[in-house]
Amino acid sequence: MIPAGFEYHRPADVASALAILTTHGDEARVIAGGHSLIPMMKLRMAEMGHLVDLQDITELKGISVDGDTITIGAMTTQHELITSDALAEAAPIIREAALVIADPQVRYMGTIGGNVANGDPGNDMPGLMQCLDATYILVGPDGMRPVAAREFYEAAYFTAREDEEILTQISIPRPAPGTGYAYEKQKRKIGDYATAASGVMLTVAGGTCTSASIAMTNLADTPIWAEAAGAALVGSDLGEDAITAAIAAAKDAIDPVADNRGPVEFKMHVAGVILRRAIDRAIARAG
Amino acid sequence: MARDEFEAERTTYNFVGTRPDRPDGIDKVTGRARFGADMTAPGMLHAVILRSPHAHAKIVKIDTSKAEAAPGVKAIVTRADFADGLDGENWNILENVMAGDTALYDGHAVCALAATSMLEARDAAKLVEIEYERIPHVTDVDKAMAPGAPVIREGADDGSVPAGMHPNVVRYHESGHGDVEAGFAKADLVLEETFKTEATHQGYIEPHACLGHMGTDGKGELWCCTQGHWNVQKVCAALLGTETSALRVTASEIGGGFGGKTAVFIEPVALALSRKANRPVKLVMPRADVFRATGPTSPASMDIKIGMTKDGTITAAKGVFRLSGGAFPEAPMEFSAMCAFACYDLENVLQMGYDVMSNRPKQAAYRAPGAPMAAFAVESVLDEMCNQLGLDPLEVRLKNAAKTGSKASYGPRFDQIGLVETLEAAINHPHYKAPLAEGQGRGVACGFWFNHGGETSVSLMLSEDGTAQIAVGTPDIGGSRASMALMAAEVLGIPYENIRCVIADTSSLGYNEISHGSRVTYASGLATIKAAKDAVNRMCQRAAAKWGIDPDAVYWEDGYAKPSGPNAGEFDPMHITEITANMGATGGPINGHFEATPEGAGVSFGTHIVDAEVDPETGHTKILRYTVVQDAGKAVHPTYVEGQYQGGAVQGIGWALNEEYIYGEDGSLQNALFLDYRVPVASDLPMIDTVIVEVPNPGHPFGVRGVGETGIVPPLAAIANAVSNAAGVRMRQLPASPPRILAALKDRDAG
């Protein structure tokens, strides 16, 4: 449990961080809260010559809600997500999801940027960002480019981010007033990754579902935005048939593997239960 | 001699029973406490142990030539560097510390090296070439004793095993009394069921760590985290082929043991490397090695048959307990058998145990070794019988409870015991009457542990200012420095804060058995009281000499020597500080000492109540409420006693719901990290409520019974009963994880 040797860098601005990444290429990695990367380094599953610590870069911190857009700096901690009144008002599902991540100690250090950028399928925020249709801002030597969360994840730990790019910011369209929401998670115990988790956002008008977005966590090698599951609810009365169809569609979209949390059949079953509860809770909150 | 008021049973105390601050608190919160890995020495080397990746394999060749040539490497050891000609348990320990010609489990030590830095040691370890030839393995206890199972060690049977059994069955136990078949014939209901539990780890946060320095002259020093450094001294000396007294062992502060640090794993390796390099060697186990190669509990497979009349009287009970202690003969199956029915006053009882070898690490003690699994099986059957007969489960236990004078299921008659008192306290506790909602269930269970005395030496030294130091030899794993100081304060009549208790090294005090068997507050406590009384007698003699009266005419009270009555003469009471200030001139230093193997450790019983909620859709269990009721005899420091009760419940919750050793098809451990071996944390748990019952132990001056182990005996059973009652299906295998609960529900619904 001792990492291999590395050089430690602590730049004060994004330009300096990019310069280090450009110089060292895939020999360098950025580190945010360190709750994914440091364990990987200690297990020698990740080795790099240069570690670029982003904690002194103040431009990467902060939450703002401006009109229809929520902007969250990559270095914002889970604890800051939980305690932000502005966020609680604009998109309370983020607080709900952040509260089921790990434990308080981890949430004081762990950041949203690290959580979404690392590409760990066990992380909760990637699925939630897909559910919210967030956009990640990547900054590299050639400038800035946005990538949709729904298009960011390619495989476990593989994402659309290039080695010399830094994920600096997350931009989320503010959910319409009255949007129903829920983030539901089953885990073995406090501190564990999800056995199955699901994020649901939906709107209802006159008894008919007018929009729905469903994402699933830790049930495939990437987070899964189950487009067909959301589509199964839209236009329906959110009755049993529609919900059953949505769950079937979501189960079609996921591909869990057996591990110490349980066999595949068990995970598929729990995924269905968790999604049903999330949908029920979102419906109850929609107004 | 001075009048000895402490020989009479005490009922009022000035210090015992209070809750002062713990003496190690500031050390631990400021980082001043030195744990195993905190020791350093000039010129120290760092060691790495290479371990078998295979569950069972012949070691064909170990080529260390490339590693020897690597930068910084100073010593490499294999089995050839340890003593030969050992037998019995020392041979088994050596066989576990460093494999001989066969690797017996995933994680078995095969070779070790030491280098000038940790990184160099790790790099060099990669250059050691070990050739294995895999052979068939078995990790499941039932499969290990089935025909055709691979034989772990031919001829390991100790002679007690019935004919015709598989050679992996190496020891057999049978005990009981009466005629169980006649008893079953009298029953209205006879229930027979089979249960299984997986191995669990003690889960201490501090990994094993030591620093050893041994010269070529065979003399050495060792610092290590252990529950018993005299045992470490004895075992290391044997494994290294040196004299016991040549090795001085100092116990560090200990970051959890729970029985797991009663065994020797890495210390002889550090010393062997040191002897070869002639430099101090530090060895700290990585977490994964702690899981793979230090003592888990035994997995257990058990058959229980109980007969009961309609009114809840148990007519007969029979149990079969199959435990595996890994690739070594020492599974605590006789403790399972002997504790299984010990809570009940039975006319007819029979219990049998089988010790089964398999390709797992050598089991180590874990609080009341063997008893929690047995209680799970027995108390589950009792719960099911109460359900079927429509009887209150605590009333049935009370009806059958062992009492003072009952013949224990394992043989002797009980002296004064407090099971009935714990049951009555549980029945009258508000928890037992609280309503339950839909989907919730309540479980109860009783538990028993023997408790132990053991070889003990204690010295107490007075300083010229009237303060005292106590040297004990039992590492403090549960608050014993506080309880020793409280008991000494009671005898000496000086403030708790004026007494410092330290854990002496092996060259500073006589032999002390390991801190195990819930023995420390009992045995070291008894010796502390006697040592303090020894010092008090000496102080009374000094006062008598000064007053010119007979020492028998002086008694000690609240820190003063006093003349025992008008006939003794009129003298002002003499305070301890007056005596100690001049002790150099009045006869020399005043110390007290006591050594013995006390035999009066009182057995201990507890009763637990648990409420659980089971989510029938996901199989997830939530513990809603938990109450521990246990007999402490006399609680010396009640906060620590409550901590022991709560800790037992929490570890039991982990064992019952989450924790297990998961072996793959290839026999390798799949979850050797806390990420996948999940122990409960504070946020998983409700507040654990505690009730301290005090039925004095006649074998201790203040009535103390050990409290460290009984608390983990009932939880597996109580939680399994709560879960079974909540889910409406009997859970016969632990942990009751969500997939297992869902599978049980599915089986039930399928009929």
Side-chain angles (χ1 to χ4, degrees), chain A residues 1-4 43-44 186-193 260-263 265-266 269-270 273-274 277, chain B residues 118-119 122 126 615 617-618 620 658 662 670-671 673 675-676 678-681 683-684 738-739 742 746:
Chain A
M1 295 293 276
I2 299 175
L43 291 168
R44 302 275 178 128
Q186 159 101 334
K187 51 187 172 179
R188 288 176 295 184
K189 58 181 293 305
I190 301 291
D192 195 18
Y193 293 111
N260 294 328
R261 292 175 186 84
E265 187 194 5
F266 168 75
H269 169 81
V270 173
V273 172
I274 290 298
R277 289 178 184 180
Chain B
M118 192 62 196
L119 287 174
R122 290 176 64 120
K126 292 178 193 150
D615 183 333
E617 290 187 314
T618 65
H620 189 76
N658 286 306
I662 302 171
Q670 303 294 297
N671 56 337
L673 279 177
L675 180 65
D676 275 325
R678 306 296 318 191
V679 300
V681 297
S683 33
D684 286 307
L742 281 192
K746 206 171 166 186

Side-chain angles (χ1 to χ4, degrees), chain B residues 293-314:
Chain B
T294 71
T297 59
S298 297
S301 164
M302 303 164 285
D303 307 322
I304 304 298
K305 185 177 182 182
I306 296 177
M308 194 182 274
T309 56
K310 281 179 192 153
D311 70 348
T313 304
I314 300 172

